[in-house]
Amino acid sequence: AQSVTQPDIHITVSEGASLELRCNYSYGATPYLFWYVQSPGQGLQLLLKYFSGDTLVQGIKGFEAEFKRSQSSFNLRKPSVHWSDAAEYFCAVGPNQAGTALIFGKGTTLSVSS
Amino acid sequence: NAGVTQTPKFQVLKTGQSMTLQCAQDMNHEYMSWYRQDPGMGLRLIHYSVGAGITDQGEVPNGYNVSRSTTEDFPLRLLSAAPSQTSVYFCASSYSRTSSDTDTQYFGPGTRLTVL
């Protein structure tokens, strides 16, 4: 079955501390992987995506993610969190690089403490 | 470009009523999708389309119907609304054959639906 698991429902990080959000996937075909962010009451914004090549991908807002095929993981990281990063983060997998027909994880809510 | 537009923004229905959620895009995108978002469940794919006249089911298609008669529009029909369909609905589109932007999916602002 195709699925995305985000093990952490809620994470709290101090401002300036590093962040890692976990994502594991199960997908029968070549996975195209995405991370999205959703601020309260807002739509979804694409942070970054992985299709092939270098397994460490850079995105917007200082985020990066590392693809590990052996672990079926695509974890999102940021070296120093800002208060404005507080939001809900979704990992997703799909059949193509256009990002259509995505399977999403249930999301991780990030709180940032001062 | 207006991007992806959804109407209405809010809607309240009674059980058994039918309605259509509208989605339109002006980016000449081939691919369009409908998702529903429920608390603690993330987004779940309802139906998607890879071009005019072509649709397919996603994870949670029951109770919903779609058609794609034009490239621009992808309406989602609730045939007989049920309280379990209370949710926020997002439409998304991606991939234009005539653009260099081939790998970004754009989401609409969402429609918040309540079924009483």
Side-chain angles (χ1 to χ4, degrees):
Chain A
Q2 300 174 129
S3 65
V4 174
T5 301
Q6 294 180 245
D8 304 304
I9 297 174
H10 190 189
I11 285 182
T12 299
V13 175
S14 298
E15 191 168 15
S18 64
L19 169 70
E20 183 170 28
L21 302 182
R22 297 181 290 164
C23 172
N24 292 95
Y25 66 91
S26 173
Y27 202 69
T30 299
Y32 292 79
L33 294 155
F34 304 81
W35 273 100
Y36 285 87
V37 61
Q38 185 180 36
S39 298
Q42 302 297 310
L44 279 83
Q45 181 180 23
L46 178 67
L47 285 176
L48 47 78
K49 51 190 180 261
Y50 172 77
F51 305 147
S52 63
D54 192 348
T55 56
L56 185 64
V57 293
Q58 303 297 321
I60 62 171
K61 304 185 180 187
F63 285 93
E64 65 179 27
E66 185 172 14
F67 171 64
K68 293 185 177 180
R69 185 183 300 277
S70 62
Q71 299 178 16
S72 297
S73 69
F74 188 55
N75 294 349
L76 182 72
R77 301 195 293 246
K78 187 170 185 178
S80 177
V81 169
H82 188 262
W83 64 266
S84 61
D85 293 324
E88 191 160 20
Y89 292 80
F90 294 97
C91 181
V93 65
N96 55 53
Q97 66 186 56
T100 196
L102 292 174
I103 305 298
F104 280 86
K106 294 184 178 181
T108 298
T109 299
L110 172 66
S111 297
V112 179
S113 61
S114 56
Chain B
N1 288 352
V4 180
T5 58
Q6 293 183 237
T7 55
K9 291 192 185 326
F10 301 94
Q11 183 70 48
V12 179
L13 291 178
K14 294 181 179 178
T15 297
Q17 287 184 315
S18 63
M19 80 158 294
T20 299
L21 306 186
Q22 301 291 345
C23 174
Q25 52 86 14
D26 61 356
M27 297 172 281
N28 201 30
H29 282 166
E30 298 289 326
Y31 301 161
M32 297 185 75
S33 303
W34 274 104
Y35 300 89
R36 59 176 289 174
Q37 184 176 25
D38 303 292
M41 297 296 294
L43 283 85
R44 291 180 290 171
L45 181 67
I46 305 172
H47 286 284
Y48 65 99
S49 168
V50 296
I54 306 170
T55 63
D56 207 347
Q57 296 182 351
E59 301 172 84
V60 288
N62 292 342
Y64 306 96
N65 201 0
V66 292
S67 60
R68 185 97 181 270
S69 55
T70 68
T71 301
E72 294 77 18
D73 300 296
F74 192 42
L76 178 71
R77 298 182 185 84
L78 280 69
L79 308 173
S80 177
S84 60
Q85 293 179 304
T86 294
S87 188
V88 180
Y89 291 84
F90 287 99
C91 179
S93 74
S94 62
Y95 185 64
S96 168
R97 298 179 193 275
T98 59
S99 167
S100 60
D101 181 14
T102 59
D103 59 5
T104 300
Q105 179 160 233
Y106 295 85
F107 282 81
T111 293
R112 186 173 295 274
L113 176 68
T114 301
V115 183
L116 302 175

